[in-house]
């Protein structure tokens, strides 16, 4: 198991380095000039060149990349457009000349919104997705199975931006059954925190729960006919207890891997959901950065999303290896 953990950790680090290189290349592949954006439209050529020098953009590309990676690990000092040194502690993801603050600080200000949205949506996904998939598998071929399969098909077909706008119009503006979605810090008022995010939780959870429901159903139906499950039933173990004790563990591998991807994507930023409901999270920050040509913030949010996805997928792989020894021996 130790060798598997070390090998998986090395793979995760390699993937993160590759994504960092691609994100850094994105910074230079963009048609906009970072120095011109930072300086402003009223700058002349000499001023733009001075800003480019202060930002280190006149250095060789490899030197800039190594400086960027070194800043993530140990931190660095970034020059403002007027040459003023700005300390950027590790992990330094660059400096936003649009927001006039380090990218990591801008992300940290908005991360509680994204974490709150992700945590609530994940709860809905697990309860609806795995619960309905288990119920459909146990009631295979009956009305319950057909009804739950229809709901999962609906969830897999509908889009977040469509469902979000429709439900917000019906449940918030037309009937007033739900409060207008907004973020209230949990420490300030837990009840308002939950009420303000309830509708985004339900929308994001319902759409993503459909995949979990269908996968849970198919995995349970495949596993519940294995010999060890039939043996447990033959020894007198109840149907539900046998499936929870033996079938669930045998079917857990693909579900855990899908959960790792889903958690990473949710924590990396629910871009569409935050935009639809006007929540100022990391996803909304990334969308605003793209619209405003704030390239350092775009690169920083891309790296953050990639970090969460890679880390949670690696954790999911470790859990799967613990559940199934054949994985770590492969």
């Amino acid at each position: 198991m130790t060798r598997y953990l070390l090998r998986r950790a090395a793979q995760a680090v390699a993937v993160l380095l590759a994504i960092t290189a691609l994100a850094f290349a994105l910074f230079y592949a963009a048609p906009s000039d970072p120095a011109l954006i930072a300086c402003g439209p009223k700058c002349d050529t000499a001023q733009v060149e001075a800003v480019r020098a202060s930002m280190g953009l006149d250095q060789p590309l490899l030197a800039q990349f190594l400086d960027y990676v070194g800043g993530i690990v140990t931190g660095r000092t970034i020059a403002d457009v007027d040459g003023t040194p700005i300390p950027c502690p590790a992990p330094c993801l660059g400096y936003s000349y649009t927001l006039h603050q380090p990218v990591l600080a801008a992300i940290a200000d908005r991360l509680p919104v994204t974490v709150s949205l992700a945590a609530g949506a994940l709860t809905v996904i697990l309860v609806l997705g795995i619960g309905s998939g288990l119920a459909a598998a146990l009631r295979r071929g009956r009305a319950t199975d057909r009804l739950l399969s229809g709901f999962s098909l609906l969830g897999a077909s509908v889009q977040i931006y469509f469902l979000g706008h429709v439900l917000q119009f019906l449940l918030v503006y037309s009937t007033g059954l739900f409060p207008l979605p907004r973020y209230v810090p949990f420490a300030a008022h837990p009840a308002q925190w939950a009420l303000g995010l309830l509708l985004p939780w339900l929308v994001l959870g319902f759409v993503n729960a459909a995949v979990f429901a269908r996968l849970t159903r198919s995995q349970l139906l495949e596993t519940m006919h294995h010999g060890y499950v039939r043996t447990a039933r033959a020894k007198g173990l109840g149907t539900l207890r046998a499936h929870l004790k033996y079938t669930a563990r045998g079917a857990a591998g693909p579900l855990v891997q899908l959960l790792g991807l889903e958690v990473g994507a949710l924590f990396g930023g629910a871009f569409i959901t935050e935009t639809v409901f006007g929540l100022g999270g990391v996803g909304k920050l990334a969308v605003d950065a793209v619209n405003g040509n704030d390239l350092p913030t775009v690169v920083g949010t891309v790296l953050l999303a990639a970090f969460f996805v890679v880390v949670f997928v690696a954790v999911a792989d470790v859990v799967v290896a613990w559940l199934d020894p054949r994985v770590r021996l492969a």
Side-chain angles (χ1 to χ4, degrees), residues 21-227:
L22 290 174
F24 188 79
L26 174 66
F27 184 90
Y28 289 92
S32 304
D33 185 354
L36 181 60
I37 295 173
C39 187
K42 296 182 180 180
C43 292
D44 56 27
T45 304
Q47 290 174 317
V48 172
E49 291 301 323
V51 170
R52 181 174 287 108
S54 68
M55 295 174 63
L57 298 176
D58 57 341
Q59 300 295 320
L61 187 60
L62 179 59
Q64 294 183 51
F65 176 70
L66 294 177
D67 186 47
Y68 187 81
V69 174
I72 296 176
V73 178
T74 62
R76 59 180 173 143
T77 300
I78 299 176
D80 204 346
V81 292
D82 58 356
T84 304
I86 302 172
C88 186
C92 178
L93 299 179
Y95 183 82
S96 172
Y97 296 94
T98 302
L99 301 174
H100 302 289
Q101 64 178 148
V103 173
L104 185 61
I107 291 175
D109 291 341
R110 296 158 177 81
L111 192 59
V113 181
T114 298
V115 172
S116 299
L117 179 61
L122 185 62
T123 302
V124 175
I125 290 171
L126 293 177
V127 172
L128 286 182
I130 296 181
S132 60
L134 175 62
L138 294 178
R139 307 287 293 180
R140 180 186 181 185
R142 302 182 183 181
T144 303
D145 181 20
R146 291 192 291 270
L147 179 62
L148 293 175
S149 297
F151 273 112
S152 64
L153 182 62
L154 175 64
S157 304
V158 73
Q159 298 296 322
I160 293 177
Y161 57 83
F162 171 77
L163 184 63
H165 283 300
V166 169
L167 291 184
Q168 192 168 213
F169 174 76
L170 294 176
L171 301 179
V172 177
Y173 298 110
S174 296
T175 63
L177 296 176
F178 281 73
L180 185 67
R182 63 192 182 99
Y183 174 74
V184 176
F186 178 81
H189 203 301
Q192 293 297 327
W193 169 81
L195 287 174
L197 294 174
L198 181 58
L199 186 58
W201 285 346
L202 294 177
V203 171
L204 187 58
F206 174 72
V207 172
N208 290 280
V211 181
F212 279 87
R214 296 176 69 84
L215 183 61
T216 300
R217 180 183 181 277
S218 63
Q219 288 297 313
L220 289 176
L221 288 177
E222 178 182 350
T223 308
M224 65 176 49
H225 297 295
H226 287 180

Side-chain angles (χ1 to χ4, degrees), residues 305-324:
F307 171 80
F308 279 121
V309 171
V310 171
V311 168
F312 281 107
V313 168
V315 171
D317 288 344
V318 172
V319 173
V320 171
W322 174 73
L323 291 172
D324 190 352

